Amino acid sequence: MIRNYLKIALRNLFKQKVYSSFNLVGLALGLSCGLLLTLHIKEELSYEKDFPKHDRIFRMVTTEWSKSQPPLAGELKNYFPEIKSAGRFSGRGSQITNYGPDKQAETTGFFADSSVVEIFDLKPIHGNAFKALKEPSSVVITKSMAEKFFGKQDPIGKKLTFDNKEELWVRAVVDDLPINSHLKFDYLASMPTFYKNVPENWTSNRGWMFGWTYILLKDPNDAPKIEKRLKDFYVKFYQPNNADEKKQVAEFAATARLQPLTDIHLKSNLIQEMGPNSSILYVYIFIAVEILILIIACVNFINLFTTQALRRAKEVGMRKALGAKKAQVITQFLGEAFILTTIAGVLAIGLYRLVIPFYNEMAGKELSGWEILQPANLSIMVTMILFVGLLSGVFPALFIAKFDPIASLKSDKLPKSSATLLRKSLIVLQFVVSGFLISSTILIYQQMKLFKNKELGFDKEQVVAIKLYGGFKEKVLKNAAVFKNELTRNPNVIAVGQSSNLIGDDLSVESVTPLNPPANKEFPSFKVSRIDEDYLTVLNIPLKEGRNFSRQFNDSASFIINEKAAKALELKNPVGSVIVNNTMGLQGKVVGVVKDYNFASLHSQVEPLVLEYKPAWSGNMLVKIAAGNVPQTIDFLKTTVEKVAPNTIFSYTFLDERMASLYKKEDTMSQILNAFSGLAIIISCLGLFGVVAHESKLRTKEIGIRKVLGASVPNLVVLLSSSFLKLVIIGIVIATPIAWYAMNQWLQDFEYRIELRWWVFAIAGLFTIGVALLTVSFQSIKAALMDPVKSLKTE
């Protein structure tokens, strides 16, 4: 019997090629989209789970800060017996690393405690990493870094030079970390190396947020118990001397918490994170898009499969008349649905492998074309096929099995039932989803356009940021004026400045107050950046009052602040006022006030900013260049840098590209949504085309009679199209308020956001209607142009 069902299914598949093709293409597109998004979501949710103890690892954070104080790790371990181990990382940033005269590369690393080896189960390849991180001037490198610098040589005992001045010896090699982790480094330098380079009082400072503290619990269920006792811990940690200090400690303790390691990638966006994280919101969005795409594909299948029932009504009637039971009819048609879905699944895997390179480039992922063949992913695919096949096949099978055998044998028309209403409802649902996705895509595009085009208060165009490091940095800072003059001799170089940070970087957060502030008056923390006298000129940042820094004045203890800082410090006449940087122990006058400019991303509003004159702290040289001969100018800059510091790496970026990278998450989501919105409308139109073709065939004689009686082609096109276009319009009307609500909620995450205007939804609706009209009109015109004589002869 099963063999017979299979033969009938394949026979009908080839007999009704058009409908079968629409079904297969629609399902294959839907399943391939679902597969791509499933693996994307799976990868996002897998972060940190390759660490064997991931469920027991937590990071100490507050509601604002990802970093914590130097003594915190040791104090936590001593106070809480539930903590098995505690370890710290402190950033070293990216540095130029040399091995001998020939091997040179830019690397990224951290200072780290030896305990991180146990916490994160760093897998040893050579040497003893735990022992190495206890020794001064020692470094643990990853397998990839070892291969890059040493090839097949034994790296143990070899000397690496960082930024042409710091010499560290390789004592161990560990395996590369998982890609799906927020921890990303090429090497770890020992914490004793850090200690010997900073004053002793810094390492015991309980107010300096110097690095990231991780703890390993004996039992993950102990985390809530520890959090309940954090207030008592911080009282012991800070040892307040009076009621006011106790109150401050209690307020701080209320913000502290243990953050699960697995929450960092998707649920953490704190001050000075190790690197940019993603957001759980976008995972939810991708899940929603996947569900919507699969719904469209299923609806498409149900409509087309039900439509095919007309041609087989007599077959069903004959089977029932010959004694076939309802269950047998259901089994047959459900089986056909699964056969179609399975074939579509195979096509979907082919489509997946075809588009995966483009998807990886668009989404910034590293999914493999062969990844689908992993048992876990194959099971996902099989589950999707079974789910879609069952969801798509149950209703048509039940509907067909209900056919009355006598009525089926007498008529070529579908029974008048709720099926017609359901099919219309499903068409509406398809275009609700399509309208929603298209409206959302347009609004996300507009928000991304705002990011790119908003006036930020400075000029980011044609600014090259050159990284200063090692010997190159020393020579530049020693003779900055000479180097700048050398660069500006080129007519394409307009201005040159220096800064400790780039626009968009996490700036230092420090305590700044007026001189002799009022008692018990609390001031917010201030973002602080160190610059030279040409920084404002390069970025064209306007002064509201006062003057710029200048070498003609003794500005070593001078400040420039923005308008928000002047307001936060309550300075009525800011220029000439004395302020104090309590963090650095520096007191000086405000010499100028700049207009507020967006020195961070547009996710947040402009914060109070203090600019300090300290060229010696520069980490970047900013070069304003003329438009036009950009490649030649870059070559000139590279040649000049190499002349100053031979055998150096010319590391640079364009400031506008650096700013664009701040919105990588949103840009990725926008591109993915663009692609899947297009697929959604294609799948919807495939279904609509099939249903219109079916309706046109049913009304072939009616069309012929109307033409004989004088009906024109336009009249017939309107007759055939209007009922379907009404369904599309209903779908758009329903989709509009849903899209408005969803996008309004998404936009709340941005301090600077577009307004939701009615015409955006009108454009989305008109576009959807236009595409649907083209789909419907093609088949309607074809039917209307038929010879009425042939139409009337059609059986």
Side-chain angles (χ1 to χ4, degrees), residues 745-756:
Q745 293 297 112
W746 177 70
L747 288 169
Q748 299 310 309
D749 284 346
F750 305 101
E751 190 65 32
Y752 302 91
R753 49 184 178 265
I754 59 171
E755 292 184 24
L756 296 178

Side-chain angles (χ1 to χ4, degrees), residues 484 495-499 532 534-535 538 620-624:
K484 289 181 181 180
V496 183
Q498 297 164 225
S499 67
D532 74 344
D534 295 312
Y535 178 80
V538 171
N620 303 279
M621 177 159 282
L622 302 177
V623 183
K624 178 73 173 180

Side-chain angles (χ1 to χ4, degrees), residues 30 120 138 224 239 302 350 391 534 562 580 589 633 643 665 712 759 768:
F120 291 97
S138 69
Q239 297 181 353
I302 292 170
L391 184 65
D534 295 312
N562 68 353
V580 181
K589 286 186 178 181
T633 307
K643 187 187 299 182
K665 290 183 295 187
S712 64
W759 56 265
T768 308

Side-chain angles (χ1 to χ4, degrees), residues 498-501 503 506-514 523-532 535-536 541 543 549 555-571 574 577-584 586-597 599 606-614 617:
Q498 297 164 225
S499 67
S500 59
N501 303 88
I503 299 282
D506 271 336
L507 301 183
S508 178
V509 181
E510 300 173 17
S511 169
V512 179
T513 60
F523 291 91
S525 297
F526 288 73
K527 297 292 180 72
V528 182
S529 184
R530 276 79 190 183
I531 64 171
D532 74 344
Y535 178 80
L536 299 183
I541 298 172
L543 279 162
F549 293 132
D555 278 334
S556 58
S558 299
F559 302 97
I560 292 175
I561 60 176
N562 68 353
E563 294 170 294
K564 281 285 180 70
K567 185 177 180 180
L569 292 167
E570 299 180 354
L571 302 176
S577 298
V578 177
I579 62 174
V580 181
N581 184 328
N582 300 292
T583 303
M584 305 305 297
L586 181 66
Q587 175 180 311
K589 286 186 178 181
V590 175
V591 299
V593 178
V594 294
K595 292 184 177 180
D596 288 337
Y597 65 95
F599 57 86
V606 177
E607 297 179 85
L609 173 68
V610 174
L611 300 173
E612 182 182 328
Y613 183 73
K614 192 162 284 188
W617 283 30

Side-chain angles (χ1 to χ4, degrees), residues 706-707 710-717 784:
R706 287 181 179 274
K707 287 190 76 173
S712 64
V713 171
N715 288 338
L716 292 172
V717 170

Side-chain angles (χ1 to χ4, degrees), residues 271 451 454-458 460 501-507 527 535 562 596-609 655 658-663 751-752:
I271 295 174
F451 289 153
K454 186 183 182 302
E455 179 58 51
L456 300 173
F458 66 93
K460 69 178 187 289
N501 303 88
L502 294 179
I503 299 282
D505 284 350
D506 271 336
L507 301 183
K527 297 292 180 72
Y535 178 80
N562 68 353
D596 288 337
Y597 65 95
N598 295 96
F599 57 86
S601 78
L602 296 177
H603 292 90
S604 57
Q605 62 181 355
V606 177
E607 297 179 85
L609 173 68
L655 189 59
R658 172 74 182 82
M659 294 298 295
S661 69
L662 299 176
Y663 313 107
E751 190 65 32
Y752 302 91

